[in-house]
Structure formats: structure tokens, C-alpha cells
Amino acid sequence: MTQDQIAIVALLAATLALFVWNRIRFDLVAVGALLAAVLLGLVEADDAFSGFGNPAVITVAAVLVIGRALALSGAVDRMVAALARVAGGRFAQMAVLCGFGALLSAFMNNVGALALVLPVAIQGARGAGYSPSAILMPLSFATLLGGTVTLIGTPPNLLISAFREKAMGEPYHLFDFAPVGLALTAAGLAYMLLVGWRLIPSTRRGRRAEEESFEISRYATEVEVTSKSKMAGRSVMAFEEAQKGRIVVLGIVRGKRRVAGLIRLEHLAPGDLLMVQADTQALEQALGDGDITLAAEHPPEAGGLGDLVTAEAVVPANAWIRGASPADLDLRRRHGVNLLAVSRHGHPVKRRLRDIAIEAGDVLLLQGDADTLPDTLQALGCLPLAQRRLTLRSRNLWLPLALFVAAIAATATGHVPATIAFALAVMGMLAARAIPLRDLYTAIDWPVVVLLGAMIPVGGALETTGTAVLAVVLAATMAVTPMLNNAATVVIMAPIVIGIAQQLGLSPDPFLIAVAIGASCDFLTPFGHQNNTLIMGPGGYEVSDFWRVGLPLDAIIIVVSVLLIPIVWPFTA
């Protein structure tokens, strides 16, 4: 091995290890890998940031902006709601919503497609009397499968196309992925509708649907002992017994200190803050008796509030509030909302709400003004778990969709490159004010853009040093590590399979298509893809639920792909 070969293998191994470790943001790891490659002489300094001008990166950014415009217009919401009204019963709802989610995901970002259908799916499940956990995992998997159908359905497809253009002189076209992707989506949907949802443990599927928009028993909530409480001076044990065990005290904060020791023997005092887990009726009764009050239920200091309402929202992986605590965010003063409760993976947190670090997948119960709360959720980067109200004027309702369809048509006919077509669609939406200018940059998932721009030159270095075959062992390790970002997987795997194909005298196409499919179909953990992270809290899933349902689906994907890819994309060039 040459010095450059040793260096690129060592750099790749270190980068993969940091991705799997997941303690440092993946975009920072990617930039660090890029700078290391420059310092090691593997990437020319003049080419270090060339990846940010790659057409795939620009197209990903444009599609993200278009997805935000479609969400703001309300056109897709109306279509989803209309379909949900037509479907009656569990199977029909699941079939319609999963099918429509897959269709949306074929033409827009996976996360955006799920975000549009998620509130309707939750409300439909509750209205039909079954647990949302029965539909949310099939819906998430459906949106991942739908992304395999077109060039723009998921970033891995765009990246694979960029590598193909570099290796073979021509990129993939919009519907080149469709023959294999449609078959995979159909097989996957059939499995999930007939078998997959039944593999979700009955303890999750059997939960009774609540009439309220949230299930308080799955939250940790802060309450304060009132000055007139008849429980003042009595022990926590006596308080819990008086509530017949339906309110459980998880912790006590008195003044500025947390009470330590066996808290069940601690005597309550007026002003004590109690972290409790409670069902709705018990909490309402205790509040009505005047013994306790919701600690956060005070008018926010923003002033000028109208009717106070509550809203349930989930924190996506790219939300800027990730890692911050409610105290850091100063939600009441800066945003005019109260944080009433938090659910993490379907279970209450056991620390003070103001001190917890918000994580991806957390479900937040927020209270604020009815007129401004939807905008506040958007400003915080959270996704509502109830249907949104349409706020834009009707003249812009269908314009974003029309511009998007026009861009797809221009790309499909080959008259305009995808990058240009979707950039023009974005400019048209901005000119028509279909998306506010302030949302232009907030709609883009910048960590993913930075990851792509930084890792593309590193992937090129892997290819030019001739070490593609030597990296097969690392590729095998990556294949069994669903903790990696799917775009990073493609950037590293694409040069490897191109090198293998060239040395074997075979066409790179079947290998590239296989990489795109493998990177897009991540069903085994809630952490490998943002969609799975998003549904974990609202669905109340455990980590094991994903591999229990996802493992058979992986087997189906492998069988269908191995049979179909060589037919559509022969090994001989």
C-alpha cells in the first residue's frame, strides 16, 4: 500500500467510527474529515469546497425549500384530509395514508412527506378507536420506500447519480429508479398492511385511543402545591394514597434544591414543585380540589394573549432546539409559550422540565395563544401532531404544487437539468410569495447540506487513490451499522462499488442502484433515519419494535432487489 492509500483508509476508518459514536454532530465530523484530507494531501486545497457546488447538493436544498412551500400552502393537507375522510376503518386508513405517504415521498423529502401525513394519521387512528402506534411505523417505512422511486425522492439517489456521471459520463434521469423502486414499494406496503403492523407488540397496539389530543399518563408534568392545599404537611405517600395511586410523585424541588432521599416519606409544603406522572382524570380532579396547580400554567410574559390552548409537537432531528434546555430557550419570555410536559420515547422524563436537554423524538406539550402557537411551533423547528390550520391566502393554495409539477415535467422530459428546474420552481414560489423569504433558509436542512458538500471530495479521494477494493471490509462494517447517515453511506460506498465493478469488468449500475436502495431502506433502528426518530415518541415504541418489524421487511427488500436489479440493470455494460 502506498502512503496515500494508508492515509485514506485510516481517515475513512476514523470518520466512520465518529459517525457511529454519534457524540459529535455528523456535519462537524464531515468537515473535519474534509480538512484532514486536505492536510494529508489527499484533496487539493482548491478543490476542498467544490462539493458544495455539486448539482446534487443544490438539488437537495431546492427540494427541501419546495417541500416547505407545499406544507405552507395547505394544498397537500387538504388532499391528505380528503383521503382520510374517504377511508373508513383501520385497514383502509392505513392503506390510503401509507400509499399517499409513499407517493409524496417519491417527489419530496422523506421527512417533509411524513410531517404532512403524520397529524392526519394520528387523528384518524384516535377517531377510529385504535392506537396511533399501529399506523405510524408502517407510515414511516412507507415514506422511506417511496423515496426509492425517483431521482429526487431521497438524497442518496441524487448522490448516486452524481457519482455515476463522474464515472460514466451521464447521470441517472428522474424515473430511472422507478422500475425497481415501485416494485420494492409495492412489496413493502403489502407486507406492512397485511403482516408488519401485527408484529408491533400488543402493549403498544392495544392502547386505547384517547379523546384528548395527548395522553397525559405518558408525560412527566410539573405541579405546584398550593398555599391552601389540604395535603400540605402530609407525606408524599399520603398524597399518592389519596389519589388512589393514579398520581405518582417522581421528584420534589423545594426552593432551589431538589429533595434527595426517600421522597415518599417527605412531607409536602406550600410552594413545593412536584414532578408527577398522572392520568388525565386524576390530574383534573386534583387540580379541581385546589391541592395543586400546573406549575407552568401562568400567562406568558409576552403579553397580549388571547385564548390559551395546548398543542402537542414532536422534535425532529434537525430542530435547532435540540440539546438546549427549556431554561436556555426561555420559552415563556422569548416565545410566549409554556412547556407543560415532555414525553421521551413514550415515557416521562424524571428531571425538572426546565433542566432537561431536549432530544430528537421528544414530544412536547406546549401552551400558548391560539392565534400564534402554530407559528411558534414552526419557529422552534417542531412538527405539530394535530392538523394545521390553513393560514395563507387561497390564491397561493395550488400555485406551489403547480410549479413543482412543472419542474418535474421539465426534468422528466430531459429539457432542463433537475438542478435548474427545481431552482426555477423555488424562484417562482418566492416571486409569487408562496413561501416567505424568511423561510427560504430555515427550510433547508443545513447539517445535511454541509455533510454532502464536505464528504463528496473525501469520497473522490477514496476513488482516486485506488483503494476501493481494500475498503470492502469497511463497507461490510457499514452495511451492518444502521447508525450512519444515509447520505454519508452513499458518499463512502459509491466509489467503492465503482472501483469493484471496474476491476471486475462489470457495469457499475447494478452496484450503484443497490447502494442507493440499501442507504434508503433503514428500518432496524429509530436512530438511523429521521423519520423513525420522529415516530418513536408519538407511537410509544421501544427500540426493539423497529427490528422486530423491520427485519422481515429488510429480507423482502433484499430478495426483490437481487431478483430485479440484474434484469433492469444488467451486469454487462
Side-chain angles (χ1 to χ4, degrees):
M1 293 179 66
T2 66
Q3 183 177 351
D4 282 352
Q5 289 173 334
I6 295 173
I8 190 63
V9 169
L11 177 60
L12 182 60
T15 303
L16 292 179
L18 289 173
F19 278 138
V20 174
W21 188 44
N22 200 31
R23 294 293 187 274
I24 304 174
R25 283 178 39 161
F26 58 79
D27 52 331
L28 298 181
V29 172
V31 172
L34 173 61
L35 296 178
V38 173
L39 294 177
L40 292 171
L42 303 172
V43 175
E44 295 292 334
D46 291 342
D47 297 330
F49 299 104
S50 59
F52 291 94
N54 190 286
V57 177
I58 305 302
T59 305
V60 167
V63 170
L64 289 171
V65 174
I66 291 171
R68 173 66 65 84
L70 291 174
L72 291 176
S73 73
V76 178
D77 288 294
R78 287 194 176 186
M79 289 188 288
V80 175
L83 289 171
R85 285 194 298 270
V86 172
R90 178 185 306 188
F91 181 83
Q93 282 187 355
M94 292 176 64
V96 168
L97 293 178
C98 289
F100 192 69
L103 176 63
L104 284 179
S105 188
F107 297 100
M108 62 185 298
N109 177 262
N110 302 132
V111 181
L114 178 62
L116 288 170
V117 185
L118 183 65
V120 179
I122 292 175
Q123 289 189 338
R126 287 170 173 160
Y130 64 93
S131 170
S133 61
I135 190 174
L136 294 190
M137 189 177 293
L139 177 61
S140 175
F141 290 177
T143 57
L144 296 183
L145 287 169
T148 66
V149 174
T150 69
L151 174 69
I152 62 172
T154 182
N157 289 0
L158 287 163
L159 288 172
I160 284 291
S161 178
F163 278 103
R164 184 185 194 266
E165 183 176 20
K166 182 178 179 182
M168 304 176 67
E170 185 179 0
Y172 289 116
H173 300 295
L174 184 63
F175 292 110
D176 282 351
F177 295 87
V180 178
L182 284 172
L184 293 176
T185 302
L189 287 175
Y191 157 76
M192 288 183 291
L193 294 174
L194 298 175
V195 178
W197 72 272
R198 302 177 190 275
L199 300 180
I200 300 170
S202 58
T203 52
R204 257 74 81 188
R205 288 191 289 111
R207 286 198 186 102
R208 180 177 175 272
E210 298 291 334
E211 291 183 356
E212 300 295 332
S213 61
F214 61 91
E215 192 175 349
I216 201 71
S217 62
R218 294 167 55 202
Y219 286 92
T221 306
E222 279 187 7
V223 298
E224 181 179 340
V225 179
T226 64
S227 58
K228 298 180 180 180
S229 174
K230 59 181 179 294
M231 301 308 300
R234 302 184 65 182
S235 67
V236 169
M237 183 185 300
F239 172 72
E240 291 180 344
E241 290 176 349
Q243 305 302 327
K244 299 180 180 179
R246 294 188 299 165
I247 295 181
V248 178
V249 179
L250 305 174
I252 304 174
V253 176
R254 182 168 294 151
K256 294 184 178 181
R257 68 180 182 88
R258 180 162 185 159
V259 176
L262 189 59
I263 62 171
R264 295 198 73 202
L265 301 179
E266 189 71 27
H267 287 74
L268 298 175
D272 281 354
L273 289 178
L274 310 180
M275 181 72 73
V276 302
Q277 182 181 359
D279 65 61
T280 306
Q281 292 182 346
L283 189 62
E284 288 178 349
Q285 181 177 340
L287 293 171
D289 293 341
D291 291 329
I292 57 175
T293 183
L294 286 174
E297 198 171 58
H298 304 290
E301 297 173 10
L305 288 177
D307 295 332
L308 288 177
V309 295
T310 58
E312 194 180 30
V314 63
V315 180
N318 62 340
W320 68 268
I321 63 173
R322 278 185 61 200
S325 69
D328 296 332
L329 297 171
D330 199 2
L331 293 173
R332 186 178 300 173
R333 184 176 64 85
R334 295 181 181 176
H335 300 280
V337 295
N338 293 315
L339 177 63
L340 299 182
V342 176
S343 173
R344 179 163 294 165
H345 309 324
H347 302 287
V349 296
K350 296 184 178 181
R351 297 176 55 193
R352 285 207 62 188
L353 295 184
R354 68 186 306 275
D355 296 329
I356 64 170
I358 295 173
E359 297 180 1
D362 283 354
V363 180
L364 311 180
L365 185 65
L366 297 167
Q367 178 193 56
D369 178 62
D371 294 329
T372 61
L373 191 54
D375 291 334
T376 302
L377 294 181
Q378 180 180 324
L380 294 174
C382 297
L383 300 177
L385 296 182
Q387 282 184 269
R388 293 166 294 275
R389 294 177 298 173
L390 302 182
T391 57
L392 297 186
R393 288 172 291 180
S394 59
R395 68 183 180 88
N396 285 335
L397 183 63
W398 300 103
L399 180 60
L401 185 59
L403 290 172
F404 188 36
V405 170
I408 292 173
T411 302
T413 57
H415 294 310
V416 183
T419 306
I420 303 301
F422 293 114
L424 286 171
V426 170
M427 293 301 294
M429 293 175 186
L430 288 171
R433 297 183 180 179
I435 180 172
L437 189 60
R438 66 177 182 272
D439 288 346
L440 176 62
Y441 295 104
T442 59
I444 299 174
D445 191 349
W446 289 107
V448 171
V449 170
V450 172
L451 170 72
L452 301 182
M455 288 302 294
I456 285 175
V458 177
L462 176 65
E463 185 175 356
T464 57
T465 54
T467 57
V469 177
L470 296 176
V472 170
V473 174
L474 293 175
T477 302
M478 184 170 14
V480 297
T481 309
M483 308 298 286
L484 293 180
N485 181 280
N486 57 5
T489 302
V490 170
V491 169
I492 295 172
M493 280 292 293
I496 294 173
V497 299
I498 289 173
I500 291 174
Q502 290 174 342
Q503 292 197 23
L504 294 176
L506 301 175
S507 170
D509 279 327
F511 300 98
L512 290 173
I513 296 295
V515 168
I517 292 171
S520 300
C521 297
D522 192 348
F523 310 117
L524 299 183
T525 75
F527 314 114
H529 195 281
Q530 291 186 37
N531 282 24
N532 293 345
T533 304
L534 278 179
I535 64 166
M536 190 171 183
Y541 300 116
E542 302 290 344
V543 174
S544 60
D545 297 339
F546 287 86
W547 63 257
R548 184 180 288 108
V549 180
L551 200 57
L553 181 56
D554 269 350
I556 293 172
I557 297 302
I558 291 172
V559 170
V560 174
S561 298
V562 169
L563 292 175
L564 197 57
I565 288 176
I567 297 175
V568 180
W569 302 99
F571 286 108
T572 55

